[in-house]
């Protein structure tokens, strides 16, 4: 029982939903749930909404990012691209060693934008093939 964890999850940084009706989804998350649009990348088909300390990202299935996920959401296709967990501390070597000890290989380290700004990030997959992003604290030089 006494394994030392290399990190602790601080919460969900963001959730990415693949959507068909972007404007309808924006209306729902804004009007029904009170989330505000924080950032739009229409060239990528990406809308990021503020959800408290977290973000909910909407990805248009017909946009540049959305097309990478295959068919539109439905019985035979997924609508969640990935789940991002904010972790602390973010020591890449320790995280990779911990993951490897559990038979999990992480992708390349990259700087990605999340709820707190740009910061270090690694992608892994869960046993059923769902992508989980592990995200560290924002870079000191980060800005929106």
């Amino acid at each position: 029982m006494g394994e030392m964890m290399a990190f602790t999850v601080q919460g969900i940084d963001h959730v990415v939903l693949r959507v068909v009706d972007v404007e309808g989804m924006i209306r729902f998350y804004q009007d029904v749930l009170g989330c505000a649009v924080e950032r739009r990348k229409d060239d990528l088909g990406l809308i990021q909404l503020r959800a408290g300390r977290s973000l909910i990202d909407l990805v248009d299935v017909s946009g540049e990012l959305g097309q990478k996920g295959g068919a539109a959401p439905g019985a035979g296709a997924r609508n969640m691209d990935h789940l991002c967990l904010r972790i602390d501390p973010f020591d890449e070597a320790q995280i990779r060693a911990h993951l490897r000890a559990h038979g999990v290989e992480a992708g390349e380290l990259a700087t990605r934008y999340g709820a707190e700004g740009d910061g270090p990030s690694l992608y892994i997959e869960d046993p059923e093939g769902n992508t989980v992003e592990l995200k560290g604290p924002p870079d000191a030089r980060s800005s929106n």
Side-chain angles (χ1 to χ4, degrees), residues 3 9 16 19 25 29 32 47 52 56 64 66 69 75 77-78 88-89 100 105 108 113 115 124 130 132 138 142 144:
E3 181 194 351
V9 172
V16 180
V19 303
M25 288 288 276
Y29 282 98
V32 178
I47 293 89
I56 297 169
E64 183 180 332
R78 60 199 174 95
D88 197 67
R100 279 193 194 107
E105 282 296 321
E108 283 185 48
Y113 185 79
I124 59 173
N130 294 298
V132 178
S142 174
N144 294 5

Side-chain angles (χ1 to χ4, degrees), residues 1 8 13 25 31 41 96 104 108 136 138:
M1 194 178 107
T8 58
D13 185 275
M25 288 288 276
D31 300 347
K41 295 279 216 174
R96 287 186 186 278
V104 177
E108 283 185 48

Side-chain angles (χ1 to χ4, degrees), residues 86-121:
R86 167 69 160 83
I87 64 171
D88 197 67
F90 193 97
D91 179 314
E92 183 185 4
Q94 284 189 345
I95 293 166
R96 287 186 186 278
H98 172 77
L99 294 171
R100 279 193 194 107
H102 292 274
V104 177
E105 282 296 321
E108 283 185 48
L109 180 71
T111 296
R112 296 186 176 95
Y113 185 79
E116 299 174 300
D118 289 310
S121 154

